[in-house]
Amino acid sequence: MPTDAERTWAAMLRLHAALLPRLDRAVAREGGMPLAWYDVLLELREAGGRLTMGQLSERVVLSRTRVSRLVDELVAAGFVAREPNPDDGRSAFAVLTAEGKRRFLAAARVYLPAIEREFAAVDAERLAAVADGLESLLGDVAP
């Protein structure tokens, strides 16, 4: 019989696997970008528009191993620029461009309602309890 920790982990993985493709399709179809791009743009925006590649790779959620490739794609799309780090010649900053910010905000208008739709069938009190519990767990296991 699985432990509560094992059941929690398995449920989180299954929920993630069920919802991620649907949210990715919504953002790609209606928001014009893959969800992994959105993830990078979100982290850049929340950091004030600029992070080193190392900082960015620590913060993204969906594609940690592909951050450099994702930034290359975003540079090609004009959403991000790379700037040399004057304090460390080996590293560079990923910088959110004005176009990247505009496109991020447009995608957010798709992504956030898509999240709400995915959880619409769940009772609000139950959803709040799950969110509170997961946030508490996060603080306990990854402070």
Side-chain angles (χ1 to χ4, degrees):
M1 177 156 197
T3 66
D4 287 341
E6 292 166 347
R7 289 178 49 234
T8 300
W9 181 246
M12 286 190 322
L13 290 176
R14 286 193 304 272
L15 182 61
H16 183 267
L19 295 181
L20 189 63
R22 297 196 306 237
L23 293 170
D24 189 34
R25 279 192 299 274
V27 172
R29 183 180 58 247
E30 300 169 42
M33 70 178 66
L35 191 53
W37 285 20
Y38 182 91
D39 186 23
V40 171
L41 297 176
L42 170 68
E43 294 304 335
L44 286 172
R45 183 170 180 268
E46 288 191 352
R50 178 185 180 104
L51 289 168
T52 66
M53 295 299 292
Q55 291 167 326
L56 185 58
S57 67
E58 291 173 4
R59 293 177 68 154
V60 297
V61 175
L62 298 177
S63 299
R64 289 184 170 200
T65 60
R66 294 189 56 231
V67 168
S68 185
R69 197 169 329 148
L70 287 170
V71 169
D72 289 343
E73 293 170 4
L74 289 162
V75 167
F79 299 173
V80 170
R82 279 189 194 259
E83 292 180 0
N85 183 346
D87 299 328
D88 178 1
R90 297 170 301 168
S91 69
F93 288 100
V95 180
L96 185 62
T97 65
E99 178 65 8
K101 182 178 179 183
R102 186 183 74 73
R103 293 293 301 272
F104 166 79
L105 293 172
R109 288 191 292 273
V110 172
Y111 182 50
L112 300 176
I115 293 169
E116 294 297 325
R117 282 192 305 273
E118 291 297 335
F119 288 100
V122 181
D123 175 74
E125 287 182 30
R126 183 173 170 216
L127 197 57
V130 170
D132 291 343
L134 288 173
E135 288 169 351
S136 177
L137 280 176
L138 183 60
D140 291 344
V141 301

